[in-house]
């Protein structure tokens, strides 16, 4: 569009053209900056407003008095209508007092209830010698039940029906006993969970074959196993207004900066959401810049990556119900690094890391450079290569931007379809579909063979990025780069790249510059940037994280 406008300006007005090329991007940059500030201010984290109390059922407000028939009726009225709620009544052997166990089918193992609750109370019961001492005292009776008859590690006494109903619906087991005021909560939820497997989103040739699961406490156990250190702190939170979920903040007490821990804690406490279904909700609620296309928290399924980050002074967030943990603060270089870089020797590890940086640059700018050279600057192409490209483009009815968009959109659709299809046919469909569409498009004269090569190299380059979310960001920005190349040629590509760089320089993740250690410059942190230095040389933790203990050898 701008090229069409500039073509009508007389050739002698070179100054006007130069001013337009400078002023228009500047105005666009100022406009998007104003838009970012206005939207960021509206989405800024603010303390939660006190929400109106939820009106519970009238039976929920009662207290458990110890009158068995009355208490059991209240429980049935409150949660008995749920099809998965089971109530098992029996009598305690030796005392003849009635009792009832309330639990949710599917959240507990029936054998555990039989072994640790029903058998001690119903079969073994209270011995004759102890019956006389507790016969006339409900407190002594309750103490005997808790301390001598229930072989469980978790036992809690409650008084209200509402608290009992909430605990049972979350997977705890409730125990009502005649004559004892209140109720007992026994054990913890034991829902179904898959086994620990190799993480699908971060495949490695060398490294531990262990990935997080959907159970929070299984994941924290993996952290404890991989990081046997008394300074590993796991702080528990409960998030969600309607649906409560447990979340853990993990950090090394003697390494992580306390200011970072306090900032993360503050943002977690200010979250306002009904149900955080996945850690992606948490990521979007606590990130610094909601308008940035770059992720400011890294997600991972690998416990070894989390432990490695904690030992650098970072913080991790684990949410119940998802195998993806969040690592923060995040820098751009982290998205192009893999745990395998440290498992291999430093020379091949550094070589592969440099290849990833070059591949990321190709994935972002390769189609845009093709469009700019073909449409605006063919004189910059070597003569023999230019003649070869012109020959392959004979008969192509579309300009370079249109044929590039056709091929890029086809590749993106095939990639998305391959992910959504079942595993046995997904990869095969992606490969066969790409070959068929590319060959058919060339034979039909819609695109040139050289463009097919460019698009294939771009797609393969995007696959080298270890973090899938970072690859999505580059795929989105690639289309923006193609549009700027179609409007202003190589000048548009350069301005687009400078705009991305200026945004990255200003971007921060929890106070840490996103481009560090490149900007601001830190020579010690460069030992783990483009080139991964030998482990004997990497004696200091990243200075940009302001760790309490900067020496890795301690």
């Amino acid at each position: 569009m701008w090229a069409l406008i500039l073509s009508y300006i007389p050739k002698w007005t070179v100054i006007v053209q130069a001013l337009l090329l400078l002023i228009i991007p500047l105005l666009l940059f100022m406009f998007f900056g104003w838009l970012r500030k206005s939207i960021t201010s509206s989405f800024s984290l603010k303390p939660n407003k006190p929400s109106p109390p939820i009106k519970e059922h009238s039976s929920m407000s009662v207290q458990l008095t110890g009158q068995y028939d009355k208490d059991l009726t209240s429980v049935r009225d409150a949660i008995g209508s749920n099809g998965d709620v089971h109530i098992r009544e029996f009598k305690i052997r030796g005392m003849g007092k009635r009792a009832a166990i309330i639990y949710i089918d599917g959240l507990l193992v029936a054998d555990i209830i039989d072994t640790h609750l029903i058998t001690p109370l119903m079969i073994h019961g209270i011995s004759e010698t102890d019956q006389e001492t507790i016969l006339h005292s409900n407190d002594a009776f309750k103490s005997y039940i808790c301390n001598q008859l229930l072989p469980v590690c978790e036992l809690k006494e409650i008084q209200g029906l509402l608290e009992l109903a909430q605990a049972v619906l979350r997977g705890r087991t409730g125990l009502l006993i005649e004559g004892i005021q209140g109720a007992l909560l026994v054990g913890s939820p034991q829902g179904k969970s898959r086994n620990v497997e190799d993480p699908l989103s971060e495949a490695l040739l060398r490294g531990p074959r262990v990935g997080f699961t959907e159970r929070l406490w299984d994941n924290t156990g993996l952290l404890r196993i991989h990081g046997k250190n008394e300074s590993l702190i796991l702080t528990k939170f409960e998030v969600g207004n309607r649906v409560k979920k447990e979340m853990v903040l993990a950090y090394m007490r003697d390494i992580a900066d306390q200011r970072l821990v306090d900032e993360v804690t503050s943002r977690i406490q200010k979250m306002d959401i009904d149900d955080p279904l996945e850690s992606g909700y948490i990521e979007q609620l606590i990130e610094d810049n909601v308008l940035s296309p770059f992720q400011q928290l890294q997600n991972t399924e690998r416990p070894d990556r989390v432990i490695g980050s904690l030992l650098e002074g970072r913080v991790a967030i684990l949410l119940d119900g998802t195998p993806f943990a969040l690592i923060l603060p995040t820098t751009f270089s982290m998205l192009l690094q893999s745990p395998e870089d440290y498992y291999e020797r430093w020379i091949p590890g550094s070589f592969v890391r440099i290849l990833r940086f070059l591949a990321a640059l190709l994935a972002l700018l390769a189609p845009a450079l093709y469009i700019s050279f073909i449409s605006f600057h063919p004189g910059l192409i070597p003569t023999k290569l230019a003649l070869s490209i012109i020959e392959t483009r004979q008969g192509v009815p579309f300009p370079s931007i249109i044929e590039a968009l056709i091929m890029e959109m086809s590749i993106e659709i095939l990639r998305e379809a391959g992910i959504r299809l079942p595993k046995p046919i997904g990869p095969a469909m992606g490969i066969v579909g790409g070959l068929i569409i590319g060959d058919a498009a060339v034979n039909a004269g819609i695109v040139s063979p050289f463009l097919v090569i460019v698009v294939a190299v771009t797609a393969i380059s995007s696959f080298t990025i270890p973090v899938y979310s970072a690859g999505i960001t580059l795929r989105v920005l690639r289309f923006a780069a193609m549009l700027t190349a179609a409007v202003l040629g190589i000048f548009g590509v350069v301005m687009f790249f400078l705009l991305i760089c200026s945004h990255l320089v200003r971007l921060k993740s929890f106070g840490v510059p996103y481009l560090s250690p490149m900007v601001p410059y830190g020579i010690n942190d460069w030992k783990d940037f483009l080139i991964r230095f030998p482990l004997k040389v990497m004696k200091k933790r990243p200075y940009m994280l302001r760790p309490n203990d900067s020496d890795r050898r301690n």
Side-chain angles (χ1 to χ4, degrees):
M1 182 180 65
W2 298 117
L4 181 63
I5 296 175
L6 294 177
S7 64
Y8 288 99
I9 301 177
K11 298 300 181 182
W12 53 268
T13 57
V14 179
I15 298 178
V16 177
Q17 296 184 23
L19 289 176
L20 287 175
L21 290 176
L22 292 175
I23 293 175
I24 292 175
L26 180 61
L27 292 177
L28 291 175
F29 181 77
M30 294 174 61
F31 170 74
F32 284 112
W34 169 82
L35 183 63
R36 181 186 66 84
K37 290 182 179 179
S38 60
I39 297 181
T40 303
S41 61
S42 62
F43 281 93
S44 59
L45 293 171
K46 300 177 181 179
N48 287 342
K49 296 180 180 179
S51 57
I54 302 174
K55 295 182 178 180
E56 302 288 349
H57 192 273
S58 58
S59 63
M60 289 286 195
S61 59
V62 302
Q63 298 293 313
L64 300 173
T65 61
Q67 301 177 16
Y68 179 79
D69 293 326
K70 180 180 178 181
D71 291 344
L72 189 58
T73 301
S74 300
V75 171
R76 293 185 187 277
D77 292 340
I79 59 176
S81 59
N82 295 289
D84 56 347
V85 174
H86 293 267
I87 300 177
R88 171 69 165 92
E89 298 185 66
F90 59 93
K91 287 186 178 182
I92 299 177
R93 182 180 178 87
M95 293 292 292
K97 292 193 174 183
R98 294 174 292 174
I101 296 175
I102 307 102
Y103 64 96
I104 295 289
D105 188 16
L107 295 182
L108 292 168
V109 181
D111 292 340
I112 296 178
I113 297 178
D114 296 342
T115 304
H116 295 85
L117 289 180
I118 295 181
T119 299
L121 295 175
M122 184 177 176
I123 305 301
H124 299 158
I126 302 173
S127 61
E128 296 181 359
T129 56
D130 295 328
Q131 291 179 13
E132 298 180 358
T133 59
I134 64 175
L135 182 62
H136 303 291
S137 175
N138 289 331
D139 292 337
F141 177 46
K142 179 175 66 176
S143 177
Y144 186 91
I145 293 290
C146 296
N147 298 327
Q148 299 191 43
L149 287 186
L150 297 180
V152 294
C153 59
E154 294 187 24
L155 188 63
K156 180 182 178 182
E157 183 181 356
I158 59 173
Q159 300 296 326
L161 176 62
L162 175 60
E163 191 175 0
L164 173 63
Q166 291 177 342
V168 170
L169 294 177
R170 293 179 190 177
R172 302 288 295 273
T173 302
L175 176 61
L176 288 177
I177 299 177
E178 183 180 6
I180 295 181
Q181 186 177 359
L184 298 176
L185 296 179
V186 184
S188 58
Q190 299 289 331
K192 300 295 182 180
S193 176
R194 63 183 176 92
N195 296 327
V196 177
E197 301 171 349
D198 191 10
L200 297 177
S201 62
E202 297 174 272
L204 295 180
L205 294 178
R206 181 176 182 178
R209 307 291 182 181
V210 178
F212 288 130
T213 67
E214 285 74 19
R215 288 182 59 86
L216 175 62
W217 301 114
D218 290 346
N219 297 337
T220 56
L222 290 175
L223 289 184
R224 290 291 185 189
I225 293 174
H226 282 74
K228 297 179 180 179
N229 191 318
E230 65 278 0
S231 66
L232 176 59
I233 302 300
L234 302 176
T235 305
K236 179 182 173 182
F237 294 90
E238 193 174 66
V239 295
N241 296 333
R242 294 285 181 179
V243 179
K244 303 293 184 180
K245 283 192 175 180
E246 294 179 330
M247 187 175 69
V248 165
L249 178 66
Y251 62 94
M252 293 292 181
R253 178 175 49 197
D254 54 352
I255 298 178
D257 185 11
Q258 187 60 40
R259 290 172 294 182
L260 172 62
V261 177
D262 294 340
E263 176 64 21
V264 177
T265 303
S266 174
R267 297 193 187 189
I268 291 175
Q269 293 174 345
K270 293 176 182 178
M271 290 191 308
D272 187 11
I273 187 173
D274 282 345
D275 178 16
L277 297 174
E278 211 270 341
S279 59
Y281 284 70
I282 308 297
E283 177 182 357
Q284 298 174 61
L285 288 174
I286 66 175
E287 64 183 358
D288 290 68
N289 190 343
V290 297
L291 292 181
S292 175
F294 295 92
Q295 61 182 104
Q296 294 134 59
L297 288 82
Q298 184 182 19
N299 57 79
T300 180
E301 290 185 84
R302 303 195 65 89
D304 56 337
R305 187 191 284 269
V306 173
I307 288 295
S309 299
L310 297 183
L311 292 174
E312 290 181 345
R314 304 182 195 273
V315 174
I317 295 176
L318 296 89
L319 179 68
D320 189 26
T322 175
F324 287 91
L326 300 177
I327 301 174
L328 55 101
T330 299
T331 58
F332 181 76
S333 60
M334 291 177 57
L335 306 179
L336 299 178
Q337 296 174 359
S338 171
E340 203 167 8
D341 298 346
Y342 305 93
Y343 302 151
E344 297 289 350
R345 298 183 66 252
W346 73 277
I347 294 179
S350 300
F351 174 73
V352 173
R353 182 177 293 184
I354 293 174
L355 279 181
R356 291 197 203 102
F357 277 87
L358 294 177
L361 198 61
L362 283 176
L364 177 63
L365 298 178
L369 292 175
Y370 169 83
I371 294 170
S372 61
F373 282 126
I374 294 298
S375 301
F376 291 87
H377 315 286
L380 298 178
I381 306 176
T383 304
K384 292 184 178 180
L385 180 59
L387 292 175
S388 176
I389 295 175
I390 292 173
E391 183 179 355
T392 60
R393 283 185 52 81
Q394 293 294 328
V396 176
F398 303 114
S400 58
I401 177 63
I402 300 299
E403 63 170 343
L405 286 176
I406 290 175
M407 287 304 300
E408 285 293 339
M409 289 298 297
S410 301
I411 291 296
E412 294 300 327
I413 292 173
L414 285 173
R415 192 199 311 245
E416 187 66 18
I419 294 175
R420 307 305 167 194
L421 285 174
K423 293 181 182 180
I425 62 175
M429 192 283 304
I431 296 174
V432 175
L435 293 174
I436 293 175
I437 290 178
D439 183 67
V442 171
N443 293 333
I446 298 176
V447 299
S448 65
F450 190 80
L451 177 63
V452 175
I453 297 175
V454 172
V455 172
V457 171
T458 302
I460 295 173
S461 299
S462 65
F463 289 139
T464 62
I465 300 175
V467 181
Y468 178 75
S469 302
I472 296 178
T473 299
L474 295 182
R475 286 156 55 186
V476 173
L477 293 177
R478 183 193 309 155
F479 286 94
M482 293 165 57
L483 295 178
T484 57
V487 174
L488 296 174
I490 194 66
F491 301 105
V493 177
V494 172
M495 285 191 294
F496 172 79
F497 185 72
L498 292 177
L499 182 63
I500 293 297
C501 290
S502 64
H503 170 69
L504 291 177
V505 168
R506 298 176 57 189
L507 187 62
K508 291 186 177 181
S509 175
F510 291 84
V512 176
Y514 199 68
L515 282 184
S516 56
M518 182 186 301
V519 179
Y521 176 76
I523 187 171
N524 182 68
D525 294 346
W526 272 67
K527 296 178 181 179
D528 192 20
F529 183 41
L530 284 174
I531 297 177
R532 201 273 289 173
F533 278 54
L535 294 178
K536 294 181 180 180
V537 180
M538 299 168 58
K539 298 181 180 180
K540 298 292 182 180
R541 294 186 173 90
Y543 175 77
M544 57 188 173
L545 299 176
R546 302 185 298 271
N548 294 329
D549 183 6
S550 60
D551 193 350
R552 291 182 185 266
R553 304 303 180 186
N554 289 341

